[in-house]
Amino acid sequence: MASSSSSPRTWRYRVFTSFHGPDVRKTVLSHLRKQFICNGITMFDDQRIERGQTISPELTRGIRESRISIVVLSKNYASSSWCLDELLEILKCKEDIGQIVMTVFYGVDPSDVRKQTGEFGIRFSETCARKTEEEKQKWSQALNDVGNIAGEHFLNWDKESKMVETIARDVSNKLNTTISKDFEDMVGIEAHLQKMQSLLHLDNEDEAMIVGICGPSGIGKTTIARALHSRLSSSFQLTCFMENLKGSYNSGLDEYGLKLCLQQQLLSKILNQNDLRIFHLGAIPERLCDQNVLIILDGVDDLQQLEALTNETSWFGPGSRIIVTTEDQELLEQHDINNTYHVDFPTIKEARKIFCRSAFRQSSAPYGFEKLVERVLKLCSNLPLGLRVMGSSLRRKKEDDWESILHRQENSLDRKIEGVLRVGYDNLHKNDQFLFLLIAFFFNYQDNDHVKAMLGDSKLDVRYGLKTLAYKSLIQISIKGDIVMHKLLQQVGKEAVQRQDHGKRQILIDSDEICDVLENDSGNRNVMGISFDISTLLNDVYISAEAFKRIRNLRFLSIYKTRLDTNVRLHLSEDMVFPPQLRLLHWEVYPGKSLPHTFRPEYLVELNLRDNQLEKLWEEIQPLTNLKKMELLRSSNLKVLPNLSDATNLEVLNLALCESLVEIPPSIGNLHKLEKLIMDFCRKLKVVPTHFNLASLESLGMMGCWQLKNIPDISTNITTLKTTDTMLEDLPQSIRLWSGLQVLDIYGSVNIYHAPAEIYLEGRGADIKKIPDCIKDLDGLKELHIYGCPKIVSLPELPSSLKRLIVDTCESLETLVHFPFESAIEDLYFSNCFKLGQEARRVITKQSRDAWLPGRNVPAEFHYRAVGNSLTIPTDTYECRICVVISPKQKMVEFFDLLCRQRKNGFSTGQKRLQLLPKVQAEHLFIGHFTLSDKLDSGVLLEFSTSSKDIDIIECGIQIFHGHYR
């Protein structure tokens, strides 16, 4: 979240009124002014400002500095061009800065205002007589918009004074519940506040409640709490914001003294008595048990802080709310606070806006800075604190300076960022600190079971350590079990290692220090991990044959590149001896033709040798019982795989782009825990075992294996299969037993993903002309993807279980079979299939929920149509289908997002992503289902756009459903 300092100053209790005529001033405005004075509200109008042809800067400033504008619409309002220009400025403020606009219809019908009819319309026509058409259209749209804002209608009230009292009370309530301008421009703040307010249950005034706000450092917990305090304070008798409680238990007092001190601070603040003294721990319930209070406890990091300040909800009066912000979820659970808001990272779009507002004081990057902004987003990984600090440091800097600052930040954290993020690490137990560092350098984005296997022989309690790090918001563990550490926290780990004494370091990350160890045998037994970015090397490094003997306890060796560099600067001796207890060997661009003959991978859990020069790994059978993951991606010279009989715990084997590999050894049949086998683009592969019917195998990739003529007899438990089209010509009999197959990808010879031509084309087989009929027997299939098959003319009957069918660049395709009534089909995508017949097009558009196909015109069943990228949904609409015609300005090479912004009463109600769409060569239609939360009482304008500047939207349409569709 970030604030834009260029926003206008706003008076918290100022209201602007727009009206015309002395009758209105003497009645409504006079009574309103009296009511406002009683409530401490300042009313600003234009009566003291000299009127001219255009509204003055003073008036514009008056409008923009007000929290609320009240538009009093009388019969004569439209007779004043001054008032109409005021109205334009008011609605602009509503759009730009979220100003509240209220309406009073004083002797005029709202429909006359909207349509400019009746006596109101006559006055409007007279005013427009000497104006341009453009001015008339702007005013007309503004009147239509303001006429749609629900307000008070004078004719509905018996007494004008009652109406005025209601308006004044409504204004007062809106001012008291409106977020302070200090927070209003912060990206995403309103969404956070709405979620928090739903957790606070403010309508429940019978009991006190404690609510937590939890999340990592720098994500915006304190900002959300401050904004809540600002918004809600006026609704409570007493309020208090106790900021930055972190470390308050390190002051040297005993437990009783510390609790007494904290209670005294709270009572002094909430009662506004600086000299207040207390002498026992019952003071808070004594003073506050009958008070309706709002208390924010910010930065709690010790359970005793909660025990001291909010041990029981009965300490506070009915309706009280206590909000606790912390990085430690366990503290909340220990104090029985189960009502917790977990603050998520902003979306990439929000992150971009946060940074740009801080760096440029606007919501998007100026021309020429777009790529630099993306680099910052990658560096900060969407952490709001990092984005704001980086934005401030780069503000008004030239492009060259950006390069220097970014290069520095990529290697060393900004002090402000490190100061905030480091606290969590410093407060960890030493074992958890070491686990934090291991994740930072070796295990980020790894499955937690994999990490436990890696650390199986360590003295760490990995299960409890991971739980602690997750509780303290230093890592996140996904639903699938993947461990994720934020990029800036990885930098905290780097800084922590650099602060350690050289001789005591357990993990080496500095290139110079690592080179000294590898060339001069200068390591020691403390070293357990090496993380070496070889793209930082300027000179060749020759690894000594004895380099690893002095670091015999090395468990984790990661040698990698962060920048593309074709030079090999790391060289090794043929008789080099790897450490005996190595559990991770990750060596990108391994320079040898084979691993050393002394290599013994007995303890190895992961072998990752991608992008290497290996021709073979080893000769004899090796002890591989601990090996779970084997990554040989782009081993382009690898001609043979070793015997893997002993790798009985192997789960993942990646051989993609092993272009010289000819045979998969029969020993693969012994891998009874293998779950994923990837052989994509092994274009010389000719021999695979006829049977490797492994019950464990779930995913098999054989895309681009042009020499293979058929699919081997594989497990019936397979769930995902990627295959070259020619392998389908001779399917195994067991296909009918593949009831677990959910995703089938079929690839032809057309290179739709712009892979290097020599990889994709050389050695490919002839394209098939049809998909086998037996595919209909795959009764568990959910998704079928067919890519680049230029000779397929028709599709056969497909299984009724199918939910998504994607066909891309099948240039001869003309027909497809109808889906049965009981079909589960939802999505039908046909990119660049330009020969589709009318019946096929009808099936696609009629039988799918979402569709994508070539076309230039919105189909006839879409009764509401418009040229361009926007149209209005009629009133009383609940469900509809939308159709958007997109036109590429040039041949597309990237995927793009289709976006939709909704506007009601002329103002945006948010934008959402409808679909990620593939690259196209010509005009296409997207058809999608669209549901509104409620039926509309007035029209909503839909504006469509895309994330690509190379796409135009040329037409759109809507098909209305008054019941539920499908």
Side-chain angles (χ1 to χ4, degrees):
M1 290 169 286
S3 175
S4 174
S5 55
S6 63
S7 298
R9 178 182 57 139
T10 303
W11 298 86
R12 179 158 174 76
Y13 296 114
R14 174 184 275 184
V15 175
F16 180 82
T17 54
S18 176
F19 65 94
H20 183 67
D23 53 333
V24 177
R25 185 171 69 250
K26 288 178 181 178
T27 54
V28 178
L29 269 297
S30 176
H31 293 143
L32 267 179
R33 192 182 298 276
K34 290 176 184 177
Q35 290 284 338
F36 286 167
I37 289 170
C38 294
N39 288 283
I41 300 168
T42 301
M43 190 168 81
F44 181 92
D45 60 44
D46 62 4
Q47 294 308 296
R48 297 177 184 176
I49 300 173
E50 184 178 346
R51 297 198 174 196
Q53 293 297 313
T54 57
I55 61 174
S56 68
E58 183 184 353
L59 181 58
T60 300
R61 188 167 60 252
I63 295 170
R64 294 186 74 79
E65 290 181 354
S66 297
R67 299 291 296 139
I68 295 176
S69 282
I70 301 175
V71 183
V72 184
L73 294 149
S74 61
K75 291 178 180 178
N76 293 320
Y77 186 89
S79 65
S80 167
S81 61
W82 178 278
C83 286
L84 294 171
D85 284 339
E86 270 184 357
L87 182 61
L88 290 175
E89 184 63 31
I90 288 168
L91 294 179
K92 187 173 187 298
C93 289
K94 184 177 188 292
E95 174 75 7
D96 292 348
I97 60 176
Q99 186 179 92
I100 298 169
V101 178
M102 300 172 64
T103 54
V104 179
F105 298 97
Y106 190 76
V108 65
D109 192 276
S111 66
D112 285 341
V113 175
R114 286 194 297 269
K115 301 173 185 176
Q116 296 95 61
T117 55
E119 195 172 337
F120 186 91
I122 294 170
R123 301 286 184 271
F124 179 70
S125 298
E126 290 170 354
T127 305
C128 294
R130 292 180 298 277
K131 301 296 181 180
T132 65
E133 183 62 27
E134 183 182 1
E135 286 177 297
K136 180 181 177 181
Q137 287 300 321
K138 282 184 180 179
W139 287 342
S140 178
Q141 182 61 50
L143 289 169
N144 179 66
D145 294 340
V146 79
N148 276 314
I149 298 174
E152 296 298 340
H153 200 322
F154 177 72
L155 297 178
N156 293 338
W157 291 87
D158 295 331
K159 292 183 179 180
E160 183 179 297
S161 59
K162 291 289 185 184
M163 180 185 77
V164 170
E165 284 178 19
T166 300
I167 294 169
R169 186 168 57 250
D170 196 16
V171 167
S172 182
N173 290 338
K174 280 181 165 61
L175 287 171
N176 287 333
T177 58
T178 301
I179 188 169
S180 164
K181 192 62 183 180
D182 296 337
F183 304 99
E184 190 175 66
D185 286 337
M186 292 185 175
V187 176
I189 188 69
E190 188 59 43
H192 288 302
L193 296 187
Q194 287 177 7
K195 291 172 184 174
M196 270 302 297
Q197 285 180 226
S198 69
L199 290 176
L200 286 167
H201 299 290
L202 296 170
D203 54 338
N204 181 359
E205 299 180 359
D206 297 329
E207 58 183 350
M209 184 183 296
I210 307 175
V211 175
I213 302 178
C214 190
S217 290
I219 202 163
K221 301 181 298 296
T222 300
T223 303
I224 294 168
R226 285 193 186 282
L228 274 170
H229 186 255
S230 171
R231 171 173 284 189
L232 302 178
S233 287
S234 61
S235 302
F236 292 85
Q237 291 173 300
L238 298 171
T239 70
C240 172
F241 192 105
M242 287 194 72
E243 57 192 338
N244 198 19
L245 285 165
K246 278 181 186 173
S248 61
Y249 256 74
N250 298 322
S251 59
L253 296 173
D254 64 10
E255 182 181 334
Y256 186 89
L258 283 165
K259 287 184 175 180
L260 203 66
C261 181
L262 283 172
Q263 286 202 3
Q264 186 169 289
Q265 287 178 34
L266 173 62
L267 287 171
S268 294
K269 279 196 168 195
I270 202 165
L271 299 174
N272 198 23
Q273 297 178 17
N274 293 332
D275 57 350
L276 182 141
R277 295 289 180 270
I278 64 170
F279 303 98
H280 61 87
L281 294 179
I284 287 180
E286 273 183 9
R287 300 289 189 98
L288 302 180
C289 65
D290 58 350
Q291 299 289 322
N292 175 241
V293 301
L294 172 65
I295 297 172
I296 314 285
L297 304 179
D298 178 50
V300 171
D301 64 352
D302 194 294
L303 183 61
Q304 291 179 337
Q305 293 165 342
L306 294 176
E307 292 172 346
L309 297 172
T310 179
N311 199 44
E312 301 284 346
T313 55
S314 60
W315 285 9
F316 311 99
S320 294
R321 294 295 181 267
I322 295 87
I323 297 169
V324 178
T325 78
T326 182
E327 294 160 30
D328 193 341
Q329 182 183 341
E330 188 174 26
L331 285 182
L332 301 175
E333 293 179 6
Q334 288 173 333
H335 201 61
D336 292 326
I337 302 173
N338 301 313
N339 208 10
T340 301
Y341 177 49
H342 296 274
V343 186
D344 288 330
F345 284 91
T347 65
I348 187 67
K349 183 179 178 182
E350 289 171 333
R352 190 178 291 112
K353 189 180 286 188
I354 290 170
F355 174 74
C356 289
R357 286 190 180 179
S358 181
F360 310 116
R361 300 189 176 185
Q362 61 187 48
S363 294
S364 58
Y367 178 76
F369 282 85
E370 295 90 349
K371 289 185 178 179
L372 289 168
V373 167
E374 297 308 309
R375 201 166 142 195
V376 173
L377 298 183
K378 185 178 179 183
L379 173 63
C380 295
S381 296
N382 294 16
L383 186 71
L385 169 72
L387 294 165
R388 289 199 309 271
V389 172
M390 286 295 293
S392 298
S393 66
L394 291 165
R395 188 181 299 159
R396 300 188 68 82
K397 295 287 194 297
K398 295 179 179 177
E399 224 172 311
D400 291 346
D401 295 333
W402 275 58
E403 284 289 347
S404 301
I405 292 170
L406 284 176
H407 180 71
R408 183 184 301 170
Q409 295 297 338
E410 283 164 349
N411 293 283
S412 177
L413 273 180
D414 181 281
R415 286 185 181 180
K416 292 179 184 175
I417 300 173
E418 188 197 5
V420 173
L421 300 184
R422 180 179 159 181
V423 174
Y425 171 82
D426 287 345
N427 289 336
L428 292 172
H429 184 276
K430 65 178 182 179
N431 286 352
D432 295 331
Q433 285 184 339
F434 187 51
L435 180 59
F436 176 97
L437 297 177
L438 289 173
I439 293 170
F441 299 115
F442 304 107
F443 306 137
N444 203 10
Y445 300 105
Q446 295 287 334
D447 176 81
N448 62 6
D449 288 335
H450 189 65
V451 174
K452 290 172 186 174
M454 282 284 188
L455 299 172
D457 69 338
S458 72
K459 296 179 181 179
L460 299 175
D461 185 340
V462 181
R463 184 198 63 81
Y464 183 74
L466 290 174
K467 188 176 180 180
T468 299
L469 295 179
Y471 268 141
K472 295 185 181 297
S473 304
L474 295 171
I475 61 170
Q476 291 177 305
I477 301 178
S478 72
I479 295 173
K480 292 182 178 179
D482 293 334
I483 297 168
V484 180
M485 179 180 286
H486 192 275
K487 193 167 185 176
L488 292 180
L489 285 170
Q490 287 182 282
Q491 283 279 64
V492 168
K494 184 177 179 181
E495 305 278 347
V497 168
Q498 290 171 341
R499 286 194 302 272
Q500 296 170 353
D501 293 337
H502 282 265
K504 295 181 179 179
R505 289 177 181 169
Q506 292 179 285
I507 298 174
L508 306 183
I509 59 173
D510 180 75
S511 294
D512 292 337
E513 185 177 9
I514 294 170
C515 288
D516 184 46
V517 167
L518 296 181
E519 289 188 305
N520 302 317
D521 310 338
S522 62
N524 62 62
R525 287 180 173 269
N526 288 331
V527 178
M528 291 188 66
I530 292 177
S531 178
F532 188 11
D533 181 4
I534 56 176
S535 57
T536 62
L537 292 178
L538 299 177
N539 302 307
D540 285 8
V541 174
Y542 294 86
I543 301 176
S544 162
E546 307 292 314
F548 293 109
K549 283 195 173 181
R550 294 193 63 181
I551 49 175
R552 291 181 58 83
N553 289 324
L554 188 73
R555 301 290 199 277
F556 315 109
L557 177 60
S558 180
I559 299 174
Y560 59 93
K561 286 189 173 189
T562 54
R563 293 195 302 270
L564 184 62
D565 182 4
T566 56
N567 296 313
V568 177
R569 293 195 172 91
L570 202 60
H571 309 277
L572 50 81
S573 169
E574 288 187 5
D575 56 351
M576 183 188 74
V577 179
F578 278 104
Q581 299 185 65
L582 204 61
R583 300 183 78 79
L584 168 66
L585 176 54
H586 175 188
W587 194 323
E588 295 179 15
V589 200
Y590 183 81
K593 292 186 177 181
S594 69
L595 291 167
H597 63 89
T598 56
F599 181 66
R600 291 293 178 270
E602 182 179 354
Y603 297 98
L604 205 64
V605 176
E606 179 178 344
L607 178 65
N608 187 334
L609 297 172
R610 59 173 58 196
D611 298 303
N612 59 67
Q613 298 181 13
L614 290 163
E615 293 181 2
K616 62 181 180 180
L617 294 175
W618 52 75
E619 293 284 355
E620 66 278 2
I621 297 176
Q622 291 281 11
L624 298 169
T625 51
N626 285 299
L627 191 65
K628 287 179 173 290
K629 190 174 182 180
M630 194 169 184
E631 181 84 40
L632 297 171
L633 175 69
R634 286 189 294 272
S635 300
S636 55
N637 298 327
L638 188 68
K639 297 174 181 176
V640 61
L641 279 179
N643 189 317
L644 297 174
S645 297
D646 204 36
T648 51
N649 287 300
L650 190 65
E651 296 172 355
V652 178
L653 177 58
N654 187 353
L655 304 171
L657 291 159
C658 291
E659 299 174 47
S660 301
L661 192 64
V662 176
E663 180 179 358
I664 302 294
S667 60
I668 200 170
N670 295 331
L671 308 183
H672 293 292
K673 291 189 178 179
L674 190 67
E675 297 173 2
K676 191 172 187 177
L677 174 59
I678 307 169
M679 303 183 294
D680 297 332
F681 290 113
C682 292
R683 53 197 177 92
K684 292 185 179 178
L685 187 64
K686 293 181 178 179
V687 181
V688 297
T690 307
H691 299 280
F692 56 96
N693 194 354
L694 300 169
S696 59
L697 192 64
E698 296 176 357
S699 179
L700 176 61
M702 297 185 292
M703 168 189 177
C705 295
W706 309 113
Q707 305 288 343
L708 292 178
K709 300 305 178 188
N710 48 54
I711 297 173
D713 194 3
I714 55 177
S715 166
T716 57
N717 296 327
I718 196 83
T719 61
T720 303
L721 176 62
K722 291 166 65 176
T723 178
T724 300
D725 61 348
T726 50
M727 293 187 200
L728 300 175
E729 292 182 321
D730 187 15
L731 284 170
Q733 292 298 314
S734 61
I735 184 174
R736 290 175 173 82
L737 302 176
W738 293 355
S739 59
L741 186 64
Q742 296 181 19
V743 181
L744 174 59
D745 291 0
I746 301 169
Y747 291 86
S749 65
V750 179
N751 182 0
I752 66 170
Y753 290 121
H754 299 275
E758 67 276 8
I759 292 174
Y760 204 94
L761 300 178
E762 187 177 324
R764 73 184 185 199
D767 292 292
I768 62 169
K769 295 181 179 179
K770 63 175 291 186
I771 303 292
D773 291 334
C774 60
I775 203 167
K776 69 177 182 295
D777 298 324
L778 298 172
D779 54 13
L781 194 67
K782 299 289 191 293
E783 297 189 25
L784 174 61
H785 310 148
I786 304 171
Y787 302 111
C789 297
K791 295 182 181 179
I792 292 177
V793 176
S794 64
L795 294 183
E797 181 183 345
L798 299 172
S800 60
S801 59
L802 198 68
K803 288 189 173 183
R804 170 173 286 197
L805 172 61
I806 297 177
V807 183
D808 194 336
T809 317
C810 293
E811 59 193 52
S812 300
L813 184 64
E814 296 178 8
T815 62
L816 60 152
V817 176
H818 283 256
F819 294 92
F821 179 76
E822 68 276 11
S823 171
I825 198 70
E826 293 181 358
D827 303 331
L828 292 172
Y829 292 173
F830 287 77
S831 297
N832 305 312
C833 298
F834 297 109
K835 289 189 178 180
L836 285 170
Q838 286 302 314
E839 183 57 24
R841 298 174 65 82
R842 198 186 72 79
V843 170
I844 295 167
T845 58
K846 295 280 190 183
Q847 293 199 246
S848 65
R849 187 178 178 91
D850 288 358
W852 175 244
L853 70 161
R856 298 181 178 182
N857 302 110
V858 173
E861 60 264 29
F862 290 82
H863 300 111
Y864 298 91
R865 281 174 277 183
V867 175
N869 72 326
S870 65
L871 81 172
T872 300
I873 296 182
T875 57
D876 198 34
T877 297
Y878 175 73
E879 264 184 305
C880 64
R881 291 178 92 203
I882 57 172
C883 179
V884 179
V885 183
I886 70 100
S887 176
K889 297 176 184 177
Q890 57 188 16
K891 189 174 181 179
M892 295 291 296
V893 296
E894 296 178 348
F895 283 71
F896 63 95
D897 285 324
L898 179 63
L899 310 168
C900 179
R901 181 178 295 279
Q902 300 180 51
R903 292 184 182 273
K904 186 174 182 180
N905 299 331
F907 302 101
S908 174
T909 58
Q911 177 173 276
K912 68 177 181 178
R913 175 176 174 265
L914 296 178
Q915 192 60 266
L916 177 68
L917 295 170
K919 55 188 177 293
V920 291
Q921 300 168 14
E923 290 89 350
H924 275 62
L925 311 179
F926 171 76
I927 296 172
H929 189 255
F930 201 88
T931 304
L932 292 96
S933 55
D934 298 297
K935 287 190 176 182
L936 300 173
D937 54 3
S938 61
V940 165
L941 181 73
L942 300 183
E943 290 182 347
F944 301 101
S945 61
T946 74
S947 59
S948 172
K949 62 180 183 300
D950 295 323
I951 291 277
D952 284 331
I953 292 175
I954 58 176
E955 192 177 349
C956 51
I958 295 174
Q959 182 183 14
I960 304 295
F961 298 103
H962 295 289
H964 285 281
Y965 175 67
R966 284 180 68 88

